[in-house]
Amino acid sequence: MRGKEMEEEKKTLGYDWEFGHEELMLEVDAYRYDNRLYIGLTHMEEGYEESFADLTINLAHMPVERNEAYIDAFASKSKLDFIKKHKLGKVLLEMGYSGMESYYKVAFDLKRLEEFDRAGVERYCSINGMAKPEQTKANKKPPKTR
């Protein structure tokens, strides 16, 4: 871990999959190509933060809103359970496709993600010219009607 990350311990979330239980941290960023939402899963290994897996995959040819991303196909059921269990976003009906593989699409709650990687979410929003998470479309309530 570097600089401020050492001073501020990241929150972990429980992740259960076919190989057992892991305590993971979220890493939010933007993919270099098209600045789409990237979410990585990291864990502590011998005192160092290391990559565990990618939660998302960049399907640049498939449409997404700025708070949406496709879920990496490896252990996708465990990843979807993780997203639902920790209320990180909503699994959408739309699917993404690449080659012979299909990918689930999720509308992530950027305000919720900010609880686990504030700097990453702020950087992602800045790169994409977005308002702070509490002001994003996904978190706005529809206006009341009379």
Side-chain angles (χ1 to χ4, degrees), residues 2-56:
R2 302 158 287 187
K4 286 187 179 179
E5 290 178 59
M6 288 179 70
E7 297 168 13
E8 186 179 318
E9 190 170 324
K10 289 186 175 182
K11 293 181 190 178
T12 61
L13 297 168
Y15 178 79
D16 297 302
W17 65 317
E18 63 184 295
F19 298 108
H21 179 82
E22 303 285 339
E23 286 297 318
L24 302 177
M25 297 166 283
L26 298 180
E27 177 186 2
V28 178
D29 209 336
Y31 284 102
R32 291 184 196 270
Y33 181 78
D34 207 18
N35 297 324
R36 291 177 178 222
L37 181 62
Y38 165 81
I39 303 172
L41 302 173
T42 63
H43 66 149
M44 294 303 288
E45 189 70 35
E46 297 181 13
Y48 295 95
E49 186 176 333
E50 290 190 356
S51 176
F52 177 79
D54 289 332
L55 186 60
T56 61

Side-chain angles (χ1 to χ4, degrees), residues 66-67 110 122 124-133 135-136:
R66 287 294 179 196
N67 67 315
L110 295 177
E122 288 176 358
Y124 174 77
C125 289
S126 175
I127 288 169
N128 285 286
M130 297 169 61
K132 291 183 180 182
Q135 299 169 352
T136 60

Side-chain angles (χ1 to χ4, degrees), residues 105-120:
K105 186 178 186 182
V106 172
F108 284 95
D109 179 342
L110 295 177
K111 184 68 179 162
R112 178 77 171 133
L113 293 179
E114 189 179 41
E115 295 175 30
F116 301 95
D117 187 2
R118 177 179 300 280

